[in-house]
Amino acid sequence: MIDSPCTGVCQLDPATALCLGCLRSRDEIACWGSTTDSHRLQILANISRREAAGHLRVTPTDST
């Protein structure tokens, strides 16, 4: 099983609709627990593309 990219900073950015901590969409977060490893790898690739496009993650220490 592939570990979740969740960082514990669970807040959606109103501008992008992505989680500020893990850069997943609401749908990607919702399906993570019940989807296949293949789909999880797709989601991780989406996160990598989002980071490459300049989306920044907020770490737990950044959010306090």
Side-chain angles (χ1 to χ4, degrees):
M1 183 178 291
I2 298 170
D3 289 334
S4 170
C6 180
T7 62
V9 178
C10 303
Q11 183 178 351
L12 290 179
D13 179 346
T16 65
L18 298 174
C19 176
L20 293 172
C22 66
L23 298 180
R24 289 181 291 171
S25 69
R26 184 184 313 255
D27 289 343
E28 291 169 338
I29 293 166
C31 77
W32 187 268
S34 62
T35 196
T36 64
D37 280 351
S38 176
H39 188 218
R40 287 180 180 149
L41 290 172
Q42 280 184 307
I43 293 169
L44 293 176
N46 292 344
I47 293 168
S48 292
R49 281 192 293 277
R50 291 169 186 146
E51 286 179 312
H55 293 280
L56 300 176
R57 292 186 192 213
V58 174
T59 62
T61 57
D62 292 339
S63 64
T64 56

CSV table of all heavy atoms in Angstrom, one decimal:
chain,number,residue,atom,x,y,z
A,1,MET,N,0.8,-1.2,0.0
A,1,MET,CA,0.0,0.0,0.0
A,1,MET,C,0.9,1.3,0.0
A,1,MET,O,1.9,1.3,0.7
A,1,MET,CB,-0.9,0.0,1.2
A,1,MET,CG,-1.9,1.2,1.2
A,1,MET,SD,-3.1,1.3,2.5
A,1,MET,CE,-4.1,0.0,2.1
A,2,ILE,N,0.5,2.2,-0.7
A,2,ILE,CA,1.2,3.5,-0.8
A,2,ILE,C,0.7,4.4,0.2
A,2,ILE,O,-0.5,4.6,0.4
A,2,ILE,CB,1.0,4.1,-2.2
A,2,ILE,CG1,1.5,3.1,-3.3
A,2,ILE,CG2,1.6,5.5,-2.3
A,2,ILE,CD1,1.2,3.5,-4.7
A,3,ASP,N,1.6,5.0,1.0
A,3,ASP,CA,1.3,5.9,2.1
A,3,ASP,C,0.6,7.2,1.5
A,3,ASP,O,1.0,7.7,0.5
A,3,ASP,CB,2.5,6.3,2.9
A,3,ASP,CG,3.1,5.2,3.7
A,3,ASP,OD1,2.3,4.3,4.1
A,3,ASP,OD2,4.3,5.2,4.0
A,4,SER,N,-0.3,7.7,2.3
A,4,SER,CA,-1.0,9.0,2.0
A,4,SER,C,0.0,10.1,2.1
A,4,SER,O,0.9,10.2,2.9
A,4,SER,CB,-2.1,9.2,3.0
A,4,SER,OG,-2.6,10.5,2.9
A,5,PRO,N,-0.1,11.1,1.2
A,5,PRO,CA,0.7,12.3,1.2
A,5,PRO,C,0.3,13.3,2.2
A,5,PRO,O,0.8,14.4,2.3
A,5,PRO,CB,0.6,12.8,-0.2
A,5,PRO,CG,-0.8,12.4,-0.7
A,5,PRO,CD,-1.0,11.1,0.0
A,6,CYS,N,-0.8,13.0,3.0
A,6,CYS,CA,-1.3,13.9,4.0
A,6,CYS,C,-0.2,14.4,4.9
A,6,CYS,O,0.6,13.6,5.4
A,6,CYS,CB,-2.4,13.3,4.8
A,6,CYS,SG,-3.2,14.4,6.0
A,7,THR,N,-0.2,15.7,5.2
A,7,THR,CA,0.8,16.3,6.1
A,7,THR,C,0.1,16.7,7.4
A,7,THR,O,0.8,17.3,8.3
A,7,THR,CB,1.5,17.5,5.5
A,7,THR,OG1,0.6,18.5,5.2
A,7,THR,CG2,2.3,17.1,4.2
A,8,GLY,N,-1.2,16.6,7.5
A,8,GLY,CA,-1.9,17.0,8.7
A,8,GLY,C,-2.3,18.5,8.6
A,8,GLY,O,-2.9,19.0,9.6
A,9,VAL,N,-2.0,19.1,7.5
A,9,VAL,CA,-2.5,20.5,7.3
A,9,VAL,C,-3.7,20.4,6.3
A,9,VAL,O,-3.5,20.4,5.1
A,9,VAL,CB,-1.4,21.4,6.7
A,9,VAL,CG1,-1.9,22.8,6.4
A,9,VAL,CG2,-0.2,21.5,7.6
A,10,CYS,N,-4.8,20.2,6.9
A,10,CYS,CA,-6.0,19.8,6.1
A,10,CYS,C,-6.9,21.1,5.9
A,10,CYS,O,-7.8,21.3,6.6
A,10,CYS,CB,-6.8,18.7,6.7
A,10,CYS,SG,-5.8,17.2,7.0
A,11,GLN,N,-6.5,21.9,4.9
A,11,GLN,CA,-7.3,23.1,4.6
A,11,GLN,C,-7.3,23.3,3.1
A,11,GLN,O,-6.2,23.3,2.5
A,11,GLN,CB,-6.7,24.3,5.3
A,11,GLN,CG,-7.4,25.6,5.2
A,11,GLN,CD,-6.7,26.7,6.0
A,11,GLN,OE1,-5.8,26.5,6.8
A,11,GLN,NE2,-7.2,27.9,5.7
A,12,LEU,N,-8.4,23.5,2.5
A,12,LEU,CA,-8.5,23.8,1.1
A,12,LEU,C,-8.2,25.2,0.8
A,12,LEU,O,-8.8,26.1,1.4
A,12,LEU,CB,-9.8,23.3,0.5
A,12,LEU,CG,-10.1,21.8,0.5
A,12,LEU,CD1,-11.5,21.6,-0.1
A,12,LEU,CD2,-9.1,21.1,-0.3
A,13,ASP,N,-7.4,25.5,-0.2
A,13,ASP,CA,-7.1,26.8,-0.7
A,13,ASP,C,-8.4,27.2,-1.5
A,13,ASP,O,-8.7,26.6,-2.5
A,13,ASP,CB,-5.9,26.8,-1.6
A,13,ASP,CG,-5.5,28.1,-2.1
A,13,ASP,OD1,-6.3,29.1,-2.1
A,13,ASP,OD2,-4.4,28.3,-2.6
A,14,PRO,N,-9.0,28.3,-1.2
A,14,PRO,CA,-10.2,28.7,-1.9
A,14,PRO,C,-9.9,29.1,-3.4
A,14,PRO,O,-10.8,29.0,-4.2
A,14,PRO,CB,-10.7,29.9,-1.1
A,14,PRO,CG,-9.7,30.3,-0.1
A,14,PRO,CD,-8.7,29.2,0.0
A,15,ALA,N,-8.7,29.5,-3.7
A,15,ALA,CA,-8.4,29.9,-5.0
A,15,ALA,C,-8.1,28.7,-5.9
A,15,ALA,O,-8.5,28.8,-7.1
A,15,ALA,CB,-7.1,30.8,-5.0
A,16,THR,N,-7.5,27.7,-5.4
A,16,THR,CA,-7.2,26.5,-6.2
A,16,THR,C,-8.0,25.3,-6.0
A,16,THR,O,-8.0,24.3,-6.8
A,16,THR,CB,-5.7,26.1,-6.1
A,16,THR,OG1,-5.5,25.7,-4.7
A,16,THR,CG2,-4.8,27.3,-6.4
A,17,ALA,N,-8.7,25.2,-4.8
A,17,ALA,CA,-9.5,24.1,-4.4
A,17,ALA,C,-8.6,22.9,-4.1
A,17,ALA,O,-9.0,21.7,-4.2
A,17,ALA,CB,-10.6,23.7,-5.4
A,18,LEU,N,-7.3,23.1,-3.8
A,18,LEU,CA,-6.3,22.1,-3.5
A,18,LEU,C,-6.0,22.2,-2.0
A,18,LEU,O,-6.0,23.3,-1.4
A,18,LEU,CB,-5.0,22.2,-4.2
A,18,LEU,CG,-5.1,22.1,-5.8
A,18,LEU,CD1,-3.8,22.4,-6.4
A,18,LEU,CD2,-5.6,20.7,-6.2
A,19,CYS,N,-5.7,21.1,-1.4
A,19,CYS,CA,-5.3,21.1,0.0
A,19,CYS,C,-4.0,21.8,0.2
A,19,CYS,O,-3.1,21.6,-0.6
A,19,CYS,CB,-5.2,19.7,0.6
A,19,CYS,SG,-4.6,19.6,2.3
A,20,LEU,N,-3.9,22.7,1.1
A,20,LEU,CA,-2.7,23.5,1.3
A,20,LEU,C,-1.5,22.6,1.8
A,20,LEU,O,-0.3,22.9,1.6
A,20,LEU,CB,-2.9,24.6,2.3
A,20,LEU,CG,-3.8,25.7,1.8
A,20,LEU,CD1,-4.1,26.7,3.0
A,20,LEU,CD2,-3.2,26.4,0.6
A,21,GLY,N,-1.8,21.5,2.5
A,21,GLY,CA,-0.8,20.6,3.0
A,21,GLY,C,-0.3,19.6,2.0
A,21,GLY,O,0.9,19.3,1.9
A,22,CYS,N,-1.2,18.9,1.3
A,22,CYS,CA,-0.8,17.8,0.4
A,22,CYS,C,-1.0,18.1,-1.1
A,22,CYS,O,-0.6,17.2,-1.9
A,22,CYS,CB,-1.5,16.5,0.8
A,22,CYS,SG,-3.3,16.5,0.5
A,23,LEU,N,-1.6,19.2,-1.4
A,23,LEU,CA,-1.9,19.5,-2.8
A,23,LEU,C,-2.8,18.6,-3.6
A,23,LEU,O,-2.8,18.5,-4.8
A,23,LEU,CB,-0.6,19.7,-3.6
A,23,LEU,CG,0.4,20.8,-3.1
A,23,LEU,CD1,1.6,20.9,-4.0
A,23,LEU,CD2,-0.3,22.2,-3.1
A,24,ARG,N,-3.6,17.9,-2.8
A,24,ARG,CA,-4.6,17.0,-3.5
A,24,ARG,C,-5.9,17.8,-3.6
A,24,ARG,O,-6.2,18.6,-2.8
A,24,ARG,CB,-4.9,15.7,-2.7
A,24,ARG,CG,-3.8,14.7,-2.7
A,24,ARG,CD,-4.1,13.5,-1.9
A,24,ARG,NE,-4.1,13.8,-0.5
A,24,ARG,CZ,-4.5,12.9,0.4
A,24,ARG,NH1,-5.0,11.7,0.1
A,24,ARG,NH2,-4.5,13.2,1.7
A,25,SER,N,-6.7,17.4,-4.6
A,25,SER,CA,-8.1,18.0,-4.7
A,25,SER,C,-9.0,17.3,-3.7
A,25,SER,O,-8.7,16.2,-3.2
A,25,SER,CB,-8.6,17.7,-6.1
A,25,SER,OG,-8.9,16.4,-6.3
A,26,ARG,N,-10.2,17.8,-3.5
A,26,ARG,CA,-11.2,17.2,-2.6
A,26,ARG,C,-11.5,15.8,-3.1
A,26,ARG,O,-11.6,14.9,-2.2
A,26,ARG,CB,-12.4,18.1,-2.6
A,26,ARG,CG,-13.5,17.6,-1.7
A,26,ARG,CD,-14.8,18.5,-1.8
A,26,ARG,NE,-14.5,19.9,-1.8
A,26,ARG,CZ,-14.7,20.7,-0.8
A,26,ARG,NH1,-15.2,20.3,0.3
A,26,ARG,NH2,-14.4,22.0,-0.9
A,27,ASP,N,-11.7,15.6,-4.4
A,27,ASP,CA,-12.0,14.2,-4.9
A,27,ASP,C,-10.8,13.3,-4.6
A,27,ASP,O,-11.0,12.1,-4.3
A,27,ASP,CB,-12.3,14.3,-6.4
A,27,ASP,CG,-13.6,14.9,-6.6
A,27,ASP,OD1,-14.5,15.1,-5.7
A,27,ASP,OD2,-13.9,15.3,-7.8
A,28,GLU,N,-9.6,13.7,-4.8
A,28,GLU,CA,-8.4,12.9,-4.6
A,28,GLU,C,-8.3,12.5,-3.1
A,28,GLU,O,-8.0,11.3,-2.8
A,28,GLU,CB,-7.1,13.6,-5.1
A,28,GLU,CG,-7.1,13.7,-6.6
A,28,GLU,CD,-6.0,14.7,-7.0
A,28,GLU,OE1,-5.5,15.5,-6.2
A,28,GLU,OE2,-5.6,14.5,-8.2
A,29,ILE,N,-8.6,13.4,-2.2
A,29,ILE,CA,-8.6,13.1,-0.8
A,29,ILE,C,-9.7,12.1,-0.5
A,29,ILE,O,-9.4,11.1,0.2
A,29,ILE,CB,-8.8,14.4,0.0
A,29,ILE,CG1,-7.5,15.3,-0.2
A,29,ILE,CG2,-9.0,14.1,1.5
A,29,ILE,CD1,-7.8,16.8,0.3
A,30,ALA,N,-10.8,12.3,-1.0
A,30,ALA,CA,-12.0,11.5,-0.7
A,30,ALA,C,-11.8,10.0,-1.1
A,30,ALA,O,-12.2,9.1,-0.4
A,30,ALA,CB,-13.3,12.1,-1.3
A,31,CYS,N,-11.2,9.8,-2.2
A,31,CYS,CA,-11.1,8.5,-2.8
A,31,CYS,C,-9.8,7.7,-2.3
A,31,CYS,O,-9.7,6.5,-2.5
A,31,CYS,CB,-11.1,8.5,-4.3
A,31,CYS,SG,-9.6,9.0,-5.1
A,32,TRP,N,-8.9,8.4,-1.7
A,32,TRP,CA,-7.6,7.8,-1.3
A,32,TRP,C,-7.7,6.5,-0.6
A,32,TRP,O,-7.1,5.5,-0.9
A,32,TRP,CB,-6.7,8.8,-0.5
A,32,TRP,CG,-5.4,8.2,-0.3
A,32,TRP,CD1,-4.9,7.5,0.8
A,32,TRP,CD2,-4.2,8.4,-1.2
A,32,TRP,NE1,-3.6,7.1,0.6
A,32,TRP,CE2,-3.2,7.7,-0.6
A,32,TRP,CE3,-4.0,9.0,-2.4
A,32,TRP,CZ2,-1.9,7.6,-1.2
A,32,TRP,CZ3,-2.8,9.0,-3.0
A,32,TRP,CH2,-1.7,8.3,-2.4
A,33,GLY,N,-8.6,6.4,0.4
A,33,GLY,CA,-8.7,5.2,1.2
A,33,GLY,C,-9.3,4.0,0.5
A,33,GLY,O,-9.1,2.9,1.0
A,34,SER,N,-10.0,4.2,-0.6
A,34,SER,CA,-10.6,3.1,-1.2
A,34,SER,C,-10.2,2.9,-2.7
A,34,SER,O,-10.8,2.1,-3.4
A,34,SER,CB,-12.2,3.3,-1.2
A,34,SER,OG,-12.5,4.5,-1.9
A,35,THR,N,-9.1,3.6,-3.1
A,35,THR,CA,-8.7,3.4,-4.5
A,35,THR,C,-7.5,2.5,-4.6
A,35,THR,O,-7.0,2.0,-3.6
A,35,THR,CB,-8.4,4.8,-5.1
A,35,THR,OG1,-8.4,4.7,-6.5
A,35,THR,CG2,-7.1,5.4,-4.6
A,36,THR,N,-7.2,2.2,-5.9
A,36,THR,CA,-6.1,1.2,-6.1
A,36,THR,C,-4.7,1.9,-6.0
A,36,THR,O,-4.6,3.2,-6.1
A,36,THR,CB,-6.2,0.7,-7.6
A,36,THR,OG1,-6.1,1.8,-8.5
A,36,THR,CG2,-7.6,0.0,-7.8
A,37,ASP,N,-3.7,1.1,-5.9
A,37,ASP,CA,-2.3,1.7,-5.9
A,37,ASP,C,-2.0,2.4,-7.2
A,37,ASP,O,-1.3,3.4,-7.2
A,37,ASP,CB,-1.3,0.6,-5.6
A,37,ASP,CG,-1.2,0.3,-4.1
A,37,ASP,OD1,-1.8,1.0,-3.3
A,37,ASP,OD2,-0.5,-0.7,-3.8
A,38,SER,N,-2.5,1.9,-8.3
A,38,SER,CA,-2.3,2.5,-9.6
A,38,SER,C,-2.9,3.9,-9.6
A,38,SER,O,-2.3,4.9,-10.1
A,38,SER,CB,-3.0,1.7,-10.7
A,38,SER,OG,-2.9,2.3,-11.9
A,39,HIS,N,-4.1,4.1,-9.0
A,39,HIS,CA,-4.7,5.4,-9.0
A,39,HIS,C,-4.0,6.3,-8.0
A,39,HIS,O,-3.8,7.5,-8.2
A,39,HIS,CB,-6.2,5.3,-8.6
A,39,HIS,CG,-6.9,6.6,-8.7
A,39,HIS,ND1,-7.9,7.0,-7.9
A,39,HIS,CD2,-6.8,7.6,-9.6
A,39,HIS,CE1,-8.4,8.2,-8.2
A,39,HIS,NE2,-7.7,8.6,-9.3
A,40,ARG,N,-3.5,5.7,-6.9
A,40,ARG,CA,-2.7,6.5,-5.9
A,40,ARG,C,-1.5,7.1,-6.6
A,40,ARG,O,-1.1,8.2,-6.3
A,40,ARG,CB,-2.4,5.7,-4.7
A,40,ARG,CG,-3.6,5.4,-3.8
A,40,ARG,CD,-3.2,4.6,-2.7
A,40,ARG,NE,-4.4,4.4,-1.9
A,40,ARG,CZ,-4.6,3.3,-1.1
A,40,ARG,NH1,-3.7,2.3,-1.1
A,40,ARG,NH2,-5.7,3.2,-0.4
A,41,LEU,N,-0.8,6.2,-7.4
A,41,LEU,CA,0.4,6.7,-8.1
A,41,LEU,C,0.0,7.9,-9.1
A,41,LEU,O,0.8,8.8,-9.2
A,41,LEU,CB,1.0,5.6,-8.9
A,41,LEU,CG,1.7,4.5,-8.0
A,41,LEU,CD1,2.2,3.3,-8.9
A,41,LEU,CD2,2.9,5.1,-7.3
A,42,GLN,N,-1.1,7.8,-9.7
A,42,GLN,CA,-1.6,8.9,-10.5
A,42,GLN,C,-1.8,10.2,-9.7
A,42,GLN,O,-1.4,11.3,-10.2
A,42,GLN,CB,-2.9,8.6,-11.2
A,42,GLN,CG,-2.9,7.7,-12.4
A,42,GLN,CD,-4.3,7.5,-13.0
A,42,GLN,OE1,-5.2,7.2,-12.3
A,42,GLN,NE2,-4.4,7.8,-14.3
A,43,ILE,N,-2.4,10.0,-8.6
A,43,ILE,CA,-2.6,11.2,-7.7
A,43,ILE,C,-1.2,11.8,-7.3
A,43,ILE,O,-1.0,13.0,-7.3
A,43,ILE,CB,-3.4,10.8,-6.4
A,43,ILE,CG1,-4.9,10.5,-6.9
A,43,ILE,CG2,-3.4,11.9,-5.4
A,43,ILE,CD1,-5.7,9.8,-5.8
A,44,LEU,N,-0.3,10.9,-6.9
A,44,LEU,CA,1.1,11.4,-6.5
A,44,LEU,C,1.7,12.1,-7.7
A,44,LEU,O,2.4,13.1,-7.5
A,44,LEU,CB,1.9,10.3,-6.0
A,44,LEU,CG,1.5,9.6,-4.7
A,44,LEU,CD1,2.4,8.4,-4.4
A,44,LEU,CD2,1.5,10.7,-3.6
A,45,ALA,N,1.5,11.6,-8.9
A,45,ALA,CA,2.0,12.3,-10.1
A,45,ALA,C,1.4,13.7,-10.3
A,45,ALA,O,2.0,14.7,-10.6
A,45,ALA,CB,1.8,11.4,-11.3
A,46,ASN,N,0.1,13.8,-10.0
A,46,ASN,CA,-0.6,15.1,-10.1
A,46,ASN,C,0.0,16.0,-9.1
A,46,ASN,O,0.2,17.2,-9.4
A,46,ASN,CB,-2.1,14.9,-9.7
A,46,ASN,CG,-2.9,14.1,-10.8
A,46,ASN,OD1,-2.4,13.9,-11.9
A,46,ASN,ND2,-4.1,13.6,-10.4
A,47,ILE,N,0.3,15.6,-7.9
A,47,ILE,CA,0.9,16.4,-6.9
A,47,ILE,C,2.2,16.9,-7.4
A,47,ILE,O,2.5,18.1,-7.2
A,47,ILE,CB,1.0,15.6,-5.5
A,47,ILE,CG1,-0.3,15.4,-4.9
A,47,ILE,CG2,1.9,16.4,-4.6
A,47,ILE,CD1,-0.3,14.4,-3.8
A,48,SER,N,3.0,16.0,-7.9
A,48,SER,CA,4.3,16.4,-8.5
A,48,SER,C,4.2,17.5,-9.5
A,48,SER,O,5.0,18.5,-9.6
A,48,SER,CB,5.1,15.2,-9.0
A,48,SER,OG,5.4,14.4,-8.0
A,49,ARG,N,3.2,17.3,-10.4
A,49,ARG,CA,3.0,18.3,-11.5
A,49,ARG,C,2.6,19.7,-10.9
A,49,ARG,O,3.0,20.7,-11.3
A,49,ARG,CB,1.9,17.8,-12.5
A,49,ARG,CG,2.5,16.8,-13.5
A,49,ARG,CD,1.5,16.6,-14.6
A,49,ARG,NE,0.3,15.9,-14.2
A,49,ARG,CZ,0.2,14.6,-14.0
A,49,ARG,NH1,1.2,13.8,-14.2
A,49,ARG,NH2,-1.0,14.1,-13.6
A,50,ARG,N,1.8,19.6,-9.8
A,50,ARG,CA,1.3,20.8,-9.2
A,50,ARG,C,2.5,21.6,-8.5
A,50,ARG,O,2.6,22.8,-8.6
A,50,ARG,CB,0.2,20.5,-8.2
A,50,ARG,CG,-1.1,20.1,-8.8
A,50,ARG,CD,-2.1,19.5,-7.8
A,50,ARG,NE,-3.2,19.0,-8.6
A,50,ARG,CZ,-3.9,18.0,-8.2
A,50,ARG,NH1,-3.6,17.4,-7.1
A,50,ARG,NH2,-4.9,17.6,-9.0
A,51,GLU,N,3.4,20.8,-7.9
A,51,GLU,CA,4.6,21.4,-7.3
A,51,GLU,C,5.5,22.0,-8.4
A,51,GLU,O,6.0,23.1,-8.2
A,51,GLU,CB,5.4,20.4,-6.5
A,51,GLU,CG,4.7,20.0,-5.2
A,51,GLU,CD,5.5,19.0,-4.4
A,51,GLU,OE1,5.9,17.9,-5.0
A,51,GLU,OE2,5.7,19.2,-3.2
A,52,ALA,N,5.6,21.3,-9.5
A,52,ALA,CA,6.5,21.8,-10.6
A,52,ALA,C,5.9,23.1,-11.2
A,52,ALA,O,6.6,23.9,-11.7
A,52,ALA,CB,6.6,20.7,-11.7
A,53,ALA,N,4.5,23.2,-11.1
A,53,ALA,CA,3.9,24.4,-11.6
A,53,ALA,C,3.9,25.6,-10.7
A,53,ALA,O,3.4,26.6,-11.0
A,53,ALA,CB,2.4,24.1,-12.0
A,54,GLY,N,4.5,25.3,-9.5
A,54,GLY,CA,4.7,26.4,-8.5
A,54,GLY,C,3.8,26.4,-7.3
A,54,GLY,O,3.9,27.3,-6.5
A,55,HIS,N,2.9,25.4,-7.2
A,55,HIS,CA,2.1,25.4,-6.0
A,55,HIS,C,2.9,25.0,-4.8
A,55,HIS,O,3.7,24.1,-4.9
A,55,HIS,CB,0.9,24.3,-6.2
A,55,HIS,CG,-0.1,24.7,-7.2
A,55,HIS,ND1,-1.1,25.6,-7.0
A,55,HIS,CD2,-0.2,24.3,-8.5
A,55,HIS,CE1,-1.8,25.7,-8.1
A,55,HIS,NE2,-1.3,25.0,-9.0
A,56,LEU,N,2.8,25.7,-3.7
A,56,LEU,CA,3.6,25.5,-2.6
A,56,LEU,C,2.8,24.7,-1.5
A,56,LEU,O,1.6,25.0,-1.3
A,56,LEU,CB,4.1,26.8,-2.0
A,56,LEU,CG,5.0,27.6,-2.9
A,56,LEU,CD1,5.4,28.9,-2.2
A,56,LEU,CD2,6.3,26.8,-3.3
A,57,ARG,N,3.4,23.8,-0.8
A,57,ARG,CA,2.8,23.1,0.3
A,57,ARG,C,3.0,23.9,1.6
A,57,ARG,O,4.1,24.5,1.8
A,57,ARG,CB,3.4,21.8,0.5
A,57,ARG,CG,3.1,20.8,-0.6
A,57,ARG,CD,3.6,19.4,-0.1
A,57,ARG,NE,3.7,18.5,-1.2
A,57,ARG,CZ,3.5,17.2,-1.1
A,57,ARG,NH1,3.3,16.7,0.1
A,57,ARG,NH2,3.5,16.4,-2.1
A,58,VAL,N,2.1,23.9,2.5
A,58,VAL,CA,2.2,24.5,3.8
A,58,VAL,C,2.6,23.3,4.7
A,58,VAL,O,1.9,22.3,4.7
A,58,VAL,CB,0.9,25.2,4.3
A,58,VAL,CG1,1.0,25.6,5.7
A,58,VAL,CG2,0.6,26.3,3.3
A,59,THR,N,3.6,23.5,5.5
A,59,THR,CA,4.0,22.4,6.4
A,59,THR,C,3.3,22.7,7.7
A,59,THR,O,2.9,23.8,8.0
A,59,THR,CB,5.5,22.4,6.6
A,59,THR,OG1,6.0,23.6,7.2
A,59,THR,CG2,6.3,22.1,5.3
A,60,PRO,N,3.2,21.7,8.6
A,60,PRO,CA,2.5,21.9,9.9
A,60,PRO,C,3.1,23.0,10.7
A,60,PRO,O,2.4,23.8,11.3
A,60,PRO,CB,2.7,20.6,10.6
A,60,PRO,CG,2.8,19.5,9.5
A,60,PRO,CD,3.6,20.3,8.4
A,61,THR,N,4.4,23.3,10.6
A,61,THR,CA,5.0,24.4,11.4
A,61,THR,C,4.6,25.7,10.7
A,61,THR,O,4.6,26.7,11.4
A,61,THR,CB,6.5,24.2,11.5
A,61,THR,OG1,7.1,24.1,10.1
A,61,THR,CG2,6.9,23.0,12.3
A,62,ASP,N,4.4,25.8,9.4
A,62,ASP,CA,4.0,27.0,8.7
A,62,ASP,C,2.6,27.5,9.1
A,62,ASP,O,2.3,28.6,9.0
A,62,ASP,CB,4.0,26.8,7.2
A,62,ASP,CG,5.4,26.6,6.6
A,62,ASP,OD1,6.4,27.0,7.3
A,62,ASP,OD2,5.5,26.1,5.5
A,63,SER,N,1.8,26.5,9.4
A,63,SER,CA,0.4,26.8,9.6
A,63,SER,C,0.0,27.3,11.0
A,63,SER,O,-1.1,27.7,11.3
A,63,SER,CB,-0.5,25.6,9.3
A,63,SER,OG,-0.2,24.6,10.3
A,64,THR,N,1.0,27.4,11.9
A,64,THR,CA,0.7,27.8,13.3
A,64,THR,C,1.1,29.2,13.5
A,64,THR,O,1.8,29.9,12.7
A,64,THR,CB,1.4,27.0,14.3
A,64,THR,OG1,2.8,27.0,14.1
A,64,THR,CG2,0.8,25.6,14.3
